[in-house]
């Protein structure tokens, strides 16, 4: 059973640019969540995808968007980057339905720096 | 809505001493409770979880936590810490019928020799 992987590990962008971060979920997990972790803070929920549909969103603007694919991969897209978008972005996969209890398996994260 | 408060931002402790990391939560619905650990430059790893049943939950690496419903707390404990336990610890809650996980701000455990 493979774990959750994310790419790239690090990324540097300039303000106003667009970025795509990628995640490969644990096999068999049909739910993926994305989190933003600013330096010194806990992860903040961005949104969740379940079977390729957005299942819920946190307090993030529409320039944060996502995609989930049938092969357990997913993307986080951020348009019009701002300096405050600099953070560690984490994806987490989980199963759904009884027996999973919202337990999530996290990837190592992508460190995004916006200059 | 749910919220999580980790009462200590940093906890320094000597090796082999006991430690308690405190967590209080607020929720109007039933929740699952979690503790995660994050080592430098890594993602989060699940330490333990409370779903239902016994209020004392044992996790990996010798950690345990006790769910106290009346005090809405879920404190994490270890009887004897090691240098390798130095990391950031996050308490989290998730509604049993929902999808969103809310994390606390984290507690940095620093184990000194």
């Amino acid at each position: 059973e493979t774990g959750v992987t994310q790419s790239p590990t690090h990324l540097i962008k300039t303000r106003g640019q667009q970025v795509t971060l990628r995640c490969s979920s644990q096999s068999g997990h049909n739910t993926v969540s994305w989190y933003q972790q600013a330096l010194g803070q806990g992860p903040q929920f961005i949104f969740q995808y379940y079977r390729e549909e957005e299942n819920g969103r946190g307090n993030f603007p529409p320039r944060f968007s996502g995609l989930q694919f049938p092969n357990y991969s997913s993307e986080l897209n951020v348009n019009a980057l701002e300096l405050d978008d600099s953070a560690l972005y984490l994806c987490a996969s989980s199963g759904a339905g009884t027996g999973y209890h919202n337990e999530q398996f996290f990837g190592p994260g992508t460190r995004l720096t916006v200059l | 809505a749910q919220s999580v408060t980790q009462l200590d931002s940093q906890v320094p402790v000597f090796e082999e001493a006991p430690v308690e990391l405190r967590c209080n939560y607020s929720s109007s619905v039933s929740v699952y409770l979690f503790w995660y650990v994050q080592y430098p430059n890594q993602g989060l790893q699940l330490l333990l979880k409370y779903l239902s049943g016994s209020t004392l939950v044992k996790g990996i690496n010798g950690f345990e936590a006790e769910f106290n419903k009346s005090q809405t707390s879920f404190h994490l404990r270890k009887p004897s810490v090691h240098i390798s336990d130095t990391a950031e610890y996050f308490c989290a809650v998730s509604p049993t019928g929902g999808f969103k996980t809310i994390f606390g701000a984290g507690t940095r455990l620093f184990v000194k020799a």
Side-chain angles (χ1 to χ4, degrees):
Chain A
E1 183 178 86
T2 57
V4 179
T5 60
Q6 292 185 244
S7 63
T9 306
H10 295 88
L11 200 54
I12 299 175
K13 292 285 189 179
T14 57
R15 194 170 47 183
Q17 284 188 311
Q18 178 266 341
V19 69
T20 297
L21 310 182
R22 294 179 172 82
C23 172
S24 180
S25 297
Q26 195 155 317
S27 179
H29 284 181
N30 52 16
T31 303
V32 64
S33 301
W34 286 90
Y35 293 84
Q36 180 194 67
Q37 186 180 16
L39 202 60
Q41 297 182 24
Q44 299 291 315
F45 176 77
I46 302 175
F47 45 56
Q48 183 182 84
Y49 278 76
Y50 171 66
R51 292 184 176 177
E52 302 163 48
E53 300 270 342
E54 186 177 295
N55 191 38
R57 171 177 281 265
N59 191 26
F60 281 81
R63 60 188 185 84
F64 286 78
S65 63
L67 288 170
Q68 185 186 25
F69 304 102
N71 65 350
Y72 302 115
S73 67
S74 58
E75 293 179 353
L76 165 65
N77 299 289
V78 187
N79 293 322
L81 284 166
E82 301 177 359
L83 297 180
D84 285 348
D85 295 333
S86 295
L88 181 68
Y89 288 85
L90 298 163
C91 81
S93 74
S94 58
T98 58
Y100 289 98
H101 305 302
N102 300 6
E103 179 179 344
Q104 298 177 86
F105 297 83
F106 283 82
T110 293
R111 173 74 62 188
L112 173 64
T113 302
V114 182
L115 302 176
Chain B
Q2 293 80 41
S3 66
V4 178
T5 302
Q6 292 186 241
L7 297 158
D8 306 292
S9 60
Q10 296 186 66
V11 174
V13 63
F14 285 103
E15 193 174 20
E16 298 184 7
V19 70
E20 178 180 82
L21 306 184
R22 298 179 293 167
C23 172
N24 286 97
Y25 71 93
S26 173
S27 177
S28 58
V29 299
S30 298
V31 293
Y32 299 131
L33 297 154
F34 305 88
W35 275 97
Y36 288 87
V37 61
Q38 186 176 36
Y39 298 102
N41 301 312
Q42 294 187 28
L44 277 69
Q45 180 184 6
L46 181 68
L47 273 178
L48 49 79
K49 59 188 176 186
Y50 173 79
L51 306 178
S52 64
S54 172
T55 58
L56 184 63
V57 180
K58 294 191 181 299
I60 63 171
N61 301 341
F63 284 93
E64 63 181 31
E66 185 154 21
F67 170 57
N68 187 318
K69 188 173 182 178
S70 62
Q71 297 185 6
T72 59
S73 67
F74 190 53
H75 300 333
L76 180 70
R77 302 187 184 101
K78 186 169 183 178
S80 176
V81 295
H82 303 290
I83 297 286
S84 59
D85 292 324
T86 294
E88 190 87 22
Y89 292 79
F90 293 96
C91 180
V93 301
S94 182
T96 58
F99 56 86
K100 189 174 176 179
T101 299
I102 305 298
F103 286 84
T107 296
R108 174 158 295 279
L109 175 63
F110 179 58
V111 182
K112 302 177 285 185

